[in-house]
Amino acid sequence: MNPPDVLWTDPREGTASVADGDLLPGCGEPDAGTGEVDAGTPDTSVLVTADSRFHTSTGVTVVPQDLSTRDLEILIPNPDGVGFERRSGTPVAGGMRFDDIPEGEFFVRSNHLHYLTRERRFDLGVNRVGRHDAVASSVSYSPAMADLTGLDPWQEYEHTGAPGSALQVVSGDVDLAASLDFSWMPPVGSTSYYDPEAFLTGFTGYPLPVLDPTKGDRVYVNQLNAVPSGTLPSGGPMAYTTVTSSQHLPAFAFTPDGTTAMPLFAALQPTAQNAFSMEWRLSEFTRWRADANPTSTLSASWFQVLPVPHGLQDGWVGYQGELLNLNLPRGETGVITRRLSFGNPYPASWGVLGLASYSFRSATPVVVGSRNHYPNGTISVIDRLDHLIAGPIQPRISPPQELRIDGLDAYEPRSVGSTQPVVSWQQPVLGTPRAYIVVLTRLTDSFNAQPTKRFYVPGNRNHLRLPASALEPGSTYYLRVTADGSPNYEPWRAPYVSSERLPLYSADTFSAAFTTP
């Protein structure tokens, strides 16, 4: 149910913010009881912790993670500003301790993510959906035996103005959200269909969970159908998909192994529709095209209504499919004022959020081997649905400006000679950035996800010297810098759990491709 030829990526990636006041993030007073070892003896250690917080209908269960095998280190900038001193940690109860870390800034590096901080207590904890004792399988794909009745008349995909039918399988008891696809499409108009060779594909790529009926694990089978909704500003037909029928299946046992078919025998029932009105000002997104990249073209735009299992108290926890999905043709602009409706089969305890995004991409591809790449960037607004539609939907922050590499225009293709180039930018015209996220994407001839490295810096910065290990020789990259105005994100203290606190506002600028010698 995602925009055609746009891979689903979590719009929360890269969101960041800075605390109010004149201090650099993380430079305030230490938490009580953590700033000193004893009177007069400064604490020079840094403790990195990580808890998994599992959300279910009965509450949140916190389970500490073992960081002993995590690719984790601290990078301390050298006094001359070039290069870093690397420090390894020692596993301790509750996390990883790094000793003799001097006052000042340093990066906490976790795999390919780099967080600039001064904090002496740093939290890599995450929120998760479902039981804390759920067992993950080894596969993110499963065959399925689908026997479905009570379908709304099946629709065929034609184009964005006639997006057709789709099926999704969602749990909430365990972390399961997947598309259900048939080996052969049902005839148009079908209201029942049997396919012993259907298949499930997890949305996020994480392993599918084991279903345990003794723990009450159940799944929803949802059908999304297209609903015509007038015309676009350009004059073409507009339609969106929404959940029109669903069944919450009884608990059953299933262990995904990539071979055994999951039994999905469902008699779907109509889903009550919830109406709302919105004014989506596309032109307020497209006006920032040149700031995203002076030579870019308008690309995909989409509006979604998304369920949030077990409530919004911690923000957007868990991607569990869609309740409504509106994808527009490339290059659409103007204003869409419309009354829409969405089906919601979930309990009232689940939350509902809205997402509006507009993407821009390079006008010509970057060819690496047999693959064409289109460097791209996005402007996004994400909030509780009732908050998002309370006024016109428009950006809250615009892209950074004047992206440069070692002082030269980064929007022009070039070769980078330095092993540690300086990336710089200017602040956006609209909004006040609370943080910037610098993303390096290495372009390869593989059709898998492209390797990335991310650097999170506070919003009072406009440059970053890359570590020596950031760029590989003989490679092609592009650079994206995100300005983030989200008020509640704290990448210098708790990057993962705080990245889900609503609202989320971000905007990207992106470079042309550049090569390393």
Side-chain angles (χ1 to χ4, degrees):
M1 295 309 302
N2 297 304
D5 65 5
V6 175
L7 292 177
W8 186 86
T9 57
D10 191 336
R12 293 166 294 183
E13 287 190 0
T15 56
S17 63
V18 174
D20 291 332
D22 297 327
L23 295 174
L24 184 69
C27 296
E29 294 300 317
D31 293 337
T34 63
E36 296 181 347
V37 175
D38 55 45
T41 304
D43 182 1
T44 61
S45 68
V46 171
L47 178 64
V48 179
T49 60
D51 293 332
S52 293
R53 305 174 73 248
F54 293 88
H55 294 247
T56 67
S57 60
T58 58
V60 178
T61 301
V62 179
V63 178
Q65 297 180 34
D66 179 8
L67 295 180
S68 63
T69 59
R70 178 82 68 92
D71 181 14
L72 187 64
E73 66 177 353
I74 282 179
L75 306 179
I76 304 170
N78 290 330
D80 60 6
V82 178
F84 295 85
E85 179 185 351
R86 297 177 179 272
R87 297 285 183 86
S88 299
T90 302
V92 296
M96 184 77 71
R97 190 186 71 234
F98 296 82
D99 294 319
D100 299 322
I101 305 301
E103 291 295 323
E105 298 176 333
F106 52 88
F107 278 108
V108 173
R109 184 188 67 79
S110 176
N111 196 3
H112 64 285
L113 306 174
H114 303 70
Y115 301 98
L116 188 63
T117 184
R118 294 174 183 243
E119 291 288 312
R120 294 287 152 171
R121 300 294 180 265
F122 191 85
D123 178 23
L124 288 174
V126 297
N127 286 315
R128 300 285 301 276
V129 172
R131 296 186 288 106
H132 74 280
D133 56 351
V135 177
S137 72
S138 60
V139 298
S140 59
Y141 159 92
S142 176
M145 179 179 293
D147 189 357
L148 308 180
T149 60
L151 296 171
D152 284 303
W154 192 263
Q155 303 168 341
E156 183 179 14
Y157 176 86
E158 298 179 24
H159 47 75
T160 55
S165 301
L167 295 163
Q168 297 182 352
V169 176
V170 171
S171 177
D173 299 317
V174 289
D175 192 3
L176 171 63
S179 63
L180 173 61
D181 297 289
F182 294 125
S183 59
W184 293 96
M185 282 296 101
V188 172
S190 298
T191 57
S192 63
Y193 197 64
Y194 172 70
D195 187 350
E197 297 180 343
F199 52 95
L200 279 179
T201 305
F203 286 129
T204 62
Y206 293 125
L208 299 175
V210 174
L211 300 179
D212 185 347
T214 67
K215 301 295 178 65
D217 296 340
R218 302 175 65 185
V219 301
Y220 294 84
V221 178
N222 298 333
Q223 180 186 8
L224 292 87
N225 257 25
V227 178
S229 186
T231 58
L232 297 163
S234 62
M238 184 179 116
Y240 60 92
T241 57
T242 186
V243 177
T244 56
S245 59
S246 174
Q247 187 187 2
H248 196 194
L249 297 181
F252 65 95
F254 183 71
T255 300
D257 58 12
T259 302
T260 306
M262 177 184 285
L264 293 172
F265 306 134
L268 278 65
Q269 299 293 321
T271 304
Q273 301 294 300
N274 304 269
F276 67 97
S277 297
M278 71 167 185
E279 180 183 338
W280 185 10
R281 296 183 178 176
L282 299 169
S283 55
E284 290 298 313
F285 289 79
T286 59
R287 65 180 288 217
W288 302 109
R289 179 200 60 79
D291 286 25
N293 183 294
T295 63
S296 69
T297 61
L298 304 180
S299 190
S301 51
W302 58 97
F303 174 85
Q304 294 177 316
V305 177
L306 303 160
V308 181
H310 317 305
L312 291 164
Q313 59 273 12
D314 289 298
W316 184 5
V317 175
Y319 182 78
Q320 297 287 295
E322 301 118 25
L323 301 176
L324 180 151
N325 202 11
L326 169 60
N327 302 322
L328 303 184
R330 291 188 186 278
E332 194 67 39
T333 189
V335 179
I336 295 175
T337 303
R338 210 61 48 93
R339 188 165 178 81
L340 311 177
S341 62
F342 65 92
N344 186 355
Y346 304 117
S349 59
W350 286 35
V352 178
L353 63 80
L355 177 155
S357 290
Y358 206 111
S359 65
F360 311 85
R361 72 172 191 173
S362 59
T364 57
V366 178
V367 181
V368 179
S370 60
R371 180 169 178 181
N372 290 343
H373 298 272
Y374 289 87
N376 61 84
T378 299
I379 300 176
S380 292
V381 182
I382 306 170
D383 204 349
R384 299 170 56 109
L385 179 62
D386 54 349
H387 292 178
L388 185 66
I389 62 176
I393 300 172
Q394 55 192 355
R396 302 299 181 90
I397 195 166
S398 61
Q401 303 180 92
E402 300 181 31
L403 185 59
R404 298 184 181 278
I405 301 175
D406 280 341
L408 298 180
D409 187 350
Y411 302 118
E412 295 290 334
R414 59 184 293 254
S415 178
V416 175
S418 170
T419 58
Q420 291 182 261
V422 175
V423 177
S424 62
W425 57 88
Q426 296 299 316
Q427 70 179 31
V429 174
L430 173 68
T432 302
R434 313 298 294 276
Y436 293 103
I437 302 91
V438 179
V439 182
L440 287 169
T441 301
R442 183 163 61 89
L443 304 179
T444 73
D445 60 358
S446 168
F447 285 85
N448 296 324
Q450 301 299 287
T452 63
K453 292 182 179 178
R454 296 175 181 268
F455 300 84
Y456 298 74
V457 300
N460 59 4
R461 299 300 177 85
N462 66 353
H463 69 277
L464 171 69
R465 181 180 292 277
L466 299 176
S469 59
L471 298 175
E472 296 186 13
S475 299
T476 301
Y477 288 87
Y478 84 95
L479 177 70
R480 185 167 62 238
V481 177
T482 301
D484 195 284
S486 306
N488 301 309
Y489 188 36
E490 300 178 319
W492 60 89
R493 183 180 295 121
Y496 297 126
V497 295
S498 67
S499 72
E500 296 172 333
R501 297 172 187 155
L502 301 172
L504 303 175
Y505 311 133
S506 64
D508 302 334
T509 187
F510 63 94
S511 73
F514 63 91
T515 58
T516 58

